[in-house]
Amino acid sequence: MSGYFGAGTRAPESELEIIMSDMPSCQFESRPRRIVIGSGGVQADFCASCSVRPTSVCSVIEPSDISRLAEVAVETIISPGRGFIEEGAPATDFFNVTSGTVKLFKALPDGRRQITGFAAPGHFLGLAVSDSYAFGAEAIDTVRVCRFSREKMGELLDDFPKLERRLLEEASNELVAAQNQMLLLGRKTARERVASFLLDQMQAGLLPGQPPPSGGRLHLPMTRGDIADYLGLTIETVSRTLSWMRAQGMIEVGKGYAITIVSTPKLEVLAAGNS
Amino acid sequence: MSGYFGAGTRAPESELEIIMSDMPSCQFESRPRRIVIGSGGVQADFCASCSVRPTSVCSVIEPSDISRLAEVAVETIISPGRGFIEEGAPATDFFNVTSGTVKLFKALPDGRRQITGFAAPGHFLGLAVSDSYAFGAEAIDTVRVCRFSREKMGELLDDFPKLERRLLEEASNELVAAQNQMLLLGRKTARERVASFLLDQMQAGLLPGQPPPSGGRLHLPMTRGDIADYLGLTIETVSRTLSWMRAQGMIEVGKGYAITIVSTPKLEVLAAGNS
DNA sequence: CTGATGGGTTGATGTAAATCAATGCGGTCA
DNA sequence: TGACCGCATTGATTTACATCAACCCATCAG
């Protein structure tokens, strides 16, 4: 299988490219269609004005060197439901999420799927030693990413040692999150899993970037199915558990993707492992 | 709580220290007793003669700089069942396993435990951005580790950029393993989990270091309880599943910790997700 | 308007794995 | 020598969650 982003067909750098979906729900049936907007040439303030730079790995690049960064970055817009990293495909690029939410997942041959994480703005994607991606990635809502070719990234790493240290930090953080998730998947009950998830989402919303949720109000961009695949449950169990939490006065379930946390302490007791 | 290896009480570098267990099965009831063998002073060939150096992060240090490594490393022997990293304790040191097997785990307040990985010789421990350990570590059999203080490690990283890149590689590898484990814990059946585990152990044995297992013969150092805590199952289910595999002619279960893989293909079909 | 489609909730039923329980076996220690 | 303990195996029973199924409600295309 050829690279998902073949070097020969790559769009000129620093242009804006858009990966459209012909059918919002299909995945990898066809190669993403690419529309290049912009007209080539490097925009010097491309990275300087980036909203997620302060919280992303790019923050370690000094303002004076920002142009180096902009030279190798290609901004890409991905429409909802569209996959842009295919598990097992040759790993040609790294990504930095600048807006929207991405789901990362692994799948079994028969279709069972485990979402290994959700990537919010500022998140760095593609860390893998192997020459192929160990996971797939799909846009949940409309997503913007900065794309770096592996090759170019290597040059950056050589020139900016701080970047390497920052990536190590990023990887370590992910490792800690992964260990927490293993504990959740291996040893927590359904109620504990959902409680942990809601608290994590709350926590994630409090971080810089993203509108800060006030009054325990959460806007979850993912479907019940995504939550189920993330927590190792079924859609029905997630739905039932949320209903049970509502009945217990822990949360309020709004229309669509809104959930309000009414009692953080109750959820914390649950998440810590008291049935 | 004070550091597990308080700076004030630290043994002189490059000596051999031994953490003994008064009671083999107890964990963290008391601080490890330390016996310093050796008499101080740096042994120049300490790292040069290290059996796991070729496969560990230390391999990136040039032979000419080996003494720098030996200066900051303290070899420690840990007796079976003894914990040497406590979850939540201040993270003061990094470790490199040189012999034996370590289990890494996280626990819930009520005692439920998830083993997040087994660390074999060559494995690097302690990657965490936080100032406290996100996981605990305990020796399964007699374990030897090289211990580096966080502080000294920082200096090494400054002086040897290659080391940093190697650590990033190590972290990326662990991330891939963690993602695989999430898929296993979230979506695989008991049989699939045990099959995956046996194949992984086989694979790990084939890597450099460790005696290569011949004829599918495995020597698992961990108990059924450890396997259960690693796979998110109970002891009984692990035992029953192994018995079932034996009945199917997939494996042979020897006395003690010996298991022989009779039919790798059958296990692979299972592990890939066919019931 | 109308049928199709995707997401969500809730109820009835099934089942894989947990729990409870008994037994054996090889150390170790008094 | 016998009592004890950790580890493992196997059987009987329970249960948390999955599965199967019905239904509601938006949205969207024709």
Side-chain angles (χ1 to χ4, degrees):
Chain A
M1 179 187 301
S2 70
Y4 217 68
F5 296 98
T9 60
R10 176 159 307 143
E13 285 151 15
S14 290
E15 294 184 346
L16 177 63
E17 73 176 6
I18 301 184
I19 299 179
M20 298 288 289
S21 62
D22 316 292
M23 299 160 58
S25 66
C26 72
Q27 308 175 47
F28 299 115
E29 288 87 353
S30 62
R31 296 173 62 89
R33 180 151 52 95
R34 238 173 273 148
I35 300 176
V36 177
I37 299 198
S39 60
V42 174
Q43 298 164 293
D45 61 353
F46 175 66
C47 288
S49 62
C50 176
S51 61
V52 301
R53 194 166 71 87
T55 59
S56 80
V57 293
C58 305
S59 63
V60 299
I61 308 284
E62 302 297 332
S64 58
D65 294 321
I66 278 299
S67 62
R68 281 291 310 278
L69 201 57
E71 274 170 36
V72 303
V74 182
E75 189 172 35
T76 306
I77 297 179
I78 303 151
S79 54
R82 171 60 68 179
F84 63 100
I85 294 179
E86 187 187 10
E87 186 180 348
T92 54
D93 296 87
F94 295 101
F95 301 88
N96 208 352
V97 181
T98 56
S99 78
T101 306
V102 173
K103 57 182 167 189
L104 312 173
F105 54 86
K106 291 183 68 77
L108 291 169
D110 65 0
R112 278 174 285 172
R113 168 177 293 210
Q114 178 66 37
I115 292 182
T116 58
F118 296 105
H123 198 105
F124 188 82
L125 292 183
L127 277 181
V129 238
S130 160
D131 49 2
S132 60
Y133 293 115
F135 55 86
E138 186 179 315
I140 290 179
D141 42 20
T142 296
V143 164
R144 279 167 172 266
V145 296
C146 259
R147 184 160 63 75
F148 307 89
S149 82
R150 242 177 147 66
E151 211 181 322
K152 297 280 173 60
M153 193 70 189
E155 292 170 21
L156 275 186
L157 285 178
D158 290 333
D159 297 349
F160 303 102
K162 277 187 182 175
L163 188 52
E164 198 140 53
R165 189 160 300 193
R166 185 63 172 73
L167 283 181
L168 182 56
E169 197 185 314
E170 186 87 359
S172 300
N173 276 328
E174 286 204 48
L175 221 34
V176 170
Q179 287 159 355
N180 283 327
Q181 195 67 2
M182 283 190 253
L183 176 62
L184 180 148
L185 292 170
R187 289 302 180 213
K188 287 188 181 178
T189 66
R191 287 172 183 180
E192 291 163 0
R193 291 181 202 204
V194 174
S196 301
F197 171 71
L198 292 176
L199 291 173
D200 283 352
Q201 287 300 117
M202 192 65 169
Q203 201 62 32
L206 292 177
L207 297 177
Q210 297 292 78
S214 63
R217 202 168 222 122
L218 283 178
H219 236 70
L220 306 176
M222 66 292 286
T223 66
R224 297 285 187 268
D226 289 336
I227 298 174
D229 280 348
Y230 181 57
L231 300 179
L233 300 171
T234 59
I235 293 177
E236 293 94 325
T237 298
V238 170
S239 182
R240 268 187 258 271
T241 304
L242 288 174
S243 296
W244 176 83
M245 286 175 171
R246 176 163 41 77
Q248 300 293 310
M250 296 173 172
I251 63 172
E252 279 166 14
V253 182
K255 275 286 157 203
Y257 296 86
I259 285 185
T260 305
I261 294 182
V262 176
S263 170
T264 309
K266 281 186 185 173
L267 283 182
E268 280 167 347
V269 167
L270 246 189
N274 302 78
S275 179
Chain B
M1 181 185 300
S2 70
Y4 219 65
F5 296 99
T9 61
R10 177 162 305 142
E13 284 149 18
S14 289
E15 295 184 346
L16 177 63
E17 73 176 5
I18 301 185
I19 299 180
M20 299 287 288
S21 62
D22 317 291
M23 300 160 60
S25 64
C26 74
Q27 306 174 48
F28 299 115
E29 285 86 354
S30 62
R31 295 173 62 90
R33 181 151 52 93
R34 236 172 275 147
I35 299 175
V36 177
I37 300 197
S39 60
V42 174
Q43 298 164 293
D45 60 352
F46 175 66
C47 288
S49 62
C50 176
S51 62
V52 301
R53 194 166 71 87
T55 59
S56 80
V57 293
C58 305
S59 63
V60 299
I61 308 283
E62 304 297 334
S64 57
D65 294 320
I66 279 297
S67 62
R68 280 292 310 277
L69 202 55
E71 274 170 37
V72 303
V74 182
E75 190 172 35
T76 306
I77 298 179
I78 303 151
S79 55
R82 170 59 68 178
F84 63 101
I85 293 179
E86 187 188 10
E87 185 181 350
T92 55
D93 296 88
F94 295 103
F95 301 88
N96 209 351
V97 181
T98 57
S99 79
T101 306
V102 172
K103 56 181 167 189
L104 311 173
F105 54 87
K106 290 182 69 77
L108 290 170
D110 65 0
R112 279 174 285 172
R113 168 177 295 209
Q114 178 65 37
I115 292 182
T116 57
F118 296 105
H123 199 105
F124 187 82
L125 291 183
L127 276 180
V129 240
S130 161
D131 50 2
S132 60
Y133 293 115
F135 55 86
E138 187 180 314
I140 290 179
D141 43 21
T142 297
V143 164
R144 278 167 173 267
V145 297
C146 260
R147 185 161 62 74
F148 307 89
S149 81
R150 243 179 145 66
E151 211 181 322
K152 297 281 173 59
M153 193 70 189
E155 291 170 22
L156 275 186
L157 286 178
D158 289 334
D159 297 348
F160 303 103
K162 277 187 182 175
L163 188 53
E164 197 140 54
R165 191 161 298 195
R166 185 63 172 73
L167 283 182
L168 182 56
E169 197 184 313
E170 186 87 359
S172 299
N173 276 326
E174 286 203 50
L175 222 34
V176 170
Q179 286 160 356
N180 283 326
Q181 195 67 1
M182 283 190 254
L183 177 61
L184 180 148
L185 292 170
R187 290 300 182 213
K188 288 187 180 177
T189 66
R191 287 172 184 179
E192 290 163 1
R193 292 181 201 204
V194 174
S196 301
F197 171 71
L198 292 176
L199 291 172
D200 283 352
Q201 287 299 117
M202 192 66 167
Q203 201 62 31
L206 293 177
L207 298 177
Q210 296 293 77
S214 63
R217 200 167 224 122
L218 282 178
H219 236 70
L220 305 176
M222 67 293 287
T223 66
R224 298 284 186 270
D226 289 336
I227 298 174
D229 279 348
Y230 181 57
L231 299 179
L233 300 171
T234 60
I235 293 177
E236 294 94 324
T237 299
V238 170
S239 182
R240 269 186 258 271
T241 305
L242 288 173
S243 297
W244 176 82
M245 286 175 171
R246 177 163 41 78
Q248 301 292 310
M250 296 173 172
I251 63 173
E252 278 166 14
V253 182
K255 275 288 155 204
Y257 296 85
I259 286 184
T260 305
I261 295 182
V262 176
S263 171
T264 307
K266 280 186 186 173
L267 284 182
E268 280 167 346
V269 167
L270 246 189
N274 302 78
S275 176

